Amino acid sequence: MPKDSKKRKKLVSTKKDRNQWVIIAPDTSLECAVDGCPDPAFVKLRHPKTDKGAMFFFSSDGSSVHEVMQFKRPCGSWFINDSVQEDGSLEVVTPVDPVFLLLPYLQKSSQERNKFMTLDQIVYDEDYPQCIRLLQCTGISAVDNISEVKGSGDMRAYRYDETKTLDWLRAKVEHTAACLEGTDIHVGSGAQSMTFVRSTKDQGATDEDYKRYAAGLVSDYLSPKLSKQMFELLGIKELSAKLTIKTTTPVENGDEPPLKKARLSSGKSEPEEDYSMSFKTDDVKQEKKPGKMTAGQRALSKVNTKGMKSISSFFAKKQK
């Protein structure tokens, strides 16, 4: 290998290049409202649904928290300036309501102590200490919708309230369903990619379809138990993941192709047509038509054979 190619390969595989990623994020999460504010931060927090660590993104001013989702392709890479990023995954940053991330801590505090406590006492996690950043996010005051509150001003104590939480979740679902109704997202049974759907007018989605789809989105940030309670309150059934995946090829308007109508019975147990005649093979023997007789054959056929013995009779065993 030439020396130039070895040098080029070394430059491409530097450690700095391997620590680069391609991210899609809102501009507001990267802008700095005040001079000297810290850079955006990637931190690991406890996910409210799985109760396991997941990557989240805090904006520069710390006023908003975003969920980081990764789309990874089996084969792919990125060209970044004069370098090649071997990891071809794409990171997408989307905002999330911080109250969903606080909800598990309120539930845990209520189960263990069932006392009114301040948020800095409730939101404490030795495994994920960066969770304290949630208290600086805008919209954290909505925690009043999922808990009982005592005190005022800076001295406010909270305790988890299940009834208020379910009412808050129902309002979330209804608001999300109303927003979905004004979009072109397919929410019918077996949601499809919008590449194959012209508009929501063609899909015939009902209010229950929008509500079920919205509830599915909200349940992505709830524990299985709370998610089940929410669906029971809404009076809708939760579809399993297998049923939401459409395996058939969608048509242009996003509807299912019509089923073929069954032919009415004619009262006969046998088919009206013999379809086997269209499947002839070389193994099937067909009857041959009799050929023309010669003059000798015609003469023999006119001979009177009455009383004559056949040739085989001469070879038969004599009876005693």
Side-chain angles (χ1 to χ4, degrees):
M1 182 182 292
K3 293 183 178 179
D4 294 341
S5 61
K6 288 183 178 180
K7 183 178 180 181
R8 190 180 298 111
K9 184 177 181 181
K10 184 177 180 181
L11 291 173
V12 170
S13 303
T14 58
K15 183 178 180 181
K16 179 181 178 181
D17 297 336
R18 290 196 299 270
N19 291 335
Q20 297 180 103
W21 295 276
V22 177
I23 300 175
I24 298 178
D27 292 336
T28 54
S29 63
L30 303 175
E31 294 175 353
C32 203
V34 182
D35 294 338
C37 65
D39 294 332
F42 287 89
V43 299
K44 186 170 285 190
L45 302 176
R46 190 181 299 276
H47 198 280
K49 182 176 183 177
T50 62
D51 199 37
K52 296 180 180 179
M55 191 64 67
F56 288 85
F57 172 86
F58 282 92
S59 59
S60 299
D61 57 0
S63 63
S64 61
V65 60
H66 305 72
E67 184 181 14
V68 181
M69 294 179 291
Q70 184 184 67
F71 295 89
K72 193 173 182 63
R73 297 172 295 178
C75 299
S77 58
W78 294 102
F79 290 93
I80 304 176
N81 296 327
D82 296 331
S83 63
V84 177
Q85 171 60 32
E86 183 179 358
D87 185 0
S89 61
L90 177 65
E91 315 291 332
V92 180
V93 173
T94 56
V96 61
D97 191 338
V99 178
F100 283 113
L101 304 180
L102 292 178
L103 184 55
Y105 293 103
L106 282 165
Q107 291 177 310
K108 182 179 179 181
S109 174
S110 177
Q111 292 172 358
E112 293 180 351
R113 303 178 185 180
N114 196 25
K115 296 181 180 179
F116 286 88
M117 302 174 63
T118 59
L119 285 180
D120 58 344
Q121 293 175 323
I122 296 174
V123 186
Y124 174 78
D125 197 328
E126 292 182 352
D127 297 328
Y128 305 98
Q130 294 295 327
C131 64
I132 198 66
R133 287 174 174 262
L134 295 170
L135 302 183
Q136 306 299 323
C137 292
T138 304
I140 201 68
S141 59
V143 72
D144 295 0
N145 297 324
I146 62 173
S147 59
E148 300 178 66
V149 185
K150 282 188 177 182
S152 60
D154 295 335
M155 295 299 297
R156 293 168 66 88
Y158 301 84
R159 185 173 63 182
Y160 174 69
D161 190 314
E162 184 177 282
T163 303
K164 293 180 68 174
T165 300
L166 290 173
D167 291 337
W168 175 72
L169 291 174
R170 178 170 56 185
K172 277 279 188 184
V173 171
E174 292 175 351
H175 177 72
T176 305
C179 293
L180 289 172
E181 210 165 344
T183 64
D184 289 337
I185 298 177
H186 187 88
V187 298
S189 58
Q192 305 169 13
S193 170
M194 286 308 301
T195 307
F196 307 102
V197 181
R198 288 189 294 184
S199 69
T200 52
K201 296 180 180 179
D202 296 330
Q203 63 174 296
T206 63
D207 292 339
E208 186 176 351
D209 291 330
Y210 285 109
K211 188 179 292 186
R212 181 182 293 106
Y213 193 89
L217 296 176
V218 174
S219 67
D220 286 340
Y221 301 96
L222 302 176
S223 64
K225 179 182 177 181
L226 187 57
S227 176
K228 183 179 180 180
Q229 291 177 321
M230 180 189 68
F231 274 95
E232 291 177 352
L233 178 66
L234 294 171
I236 56 179
K237 293 182 179 180
E238 185 176 4
L239 294 178
S240 63
K242 293 182 180 180
L243 294 178
T244 57
I245 300 175
K246 193 175 183 65
T247 57
T248 57
T249 303
V251 294
E252 185 180 0
N253 63 354
D255 297 329
E256 292 276 0
L259 296 175
K260 294 182 179 180
K261 294 183 179 179
R263 186 172 59 180
L264 296 177
S265 175
S266 60
K268 299 179 181 179
S269 59
E270 297 179 357
E272 297 179 358
E273 300 179 27
D274 186 5
Y275 295 98
S276 63
M277 295 301 295
S278 59
F279 299 94
K280 296 179 180 180
T281 60
D282 296 338
D283 297 334
V284 179
K285 295 182 179 180
Q286 299 180 358
E287 295 182 359
K288 296 182 180 181
K289 294 181 180 180
K292 293 182 179 181
M293 298 177 66
T294 63
Q297 289 174 335
R298 285 195 298 268
L300 289 174
S301 64
K302 295 178 181 180
V303 175
N304 186 8
T305 60
K306 188 176 181 180
M308 298 177 63
K309 293 183 178 181
S310 63
I311 298 176
S312 61
S313 64
F314 291 97
F315 299 94
K317 292 182 178 181
K318 294 181 179 181
Q319 295 180 358
K320 294 182 180 180

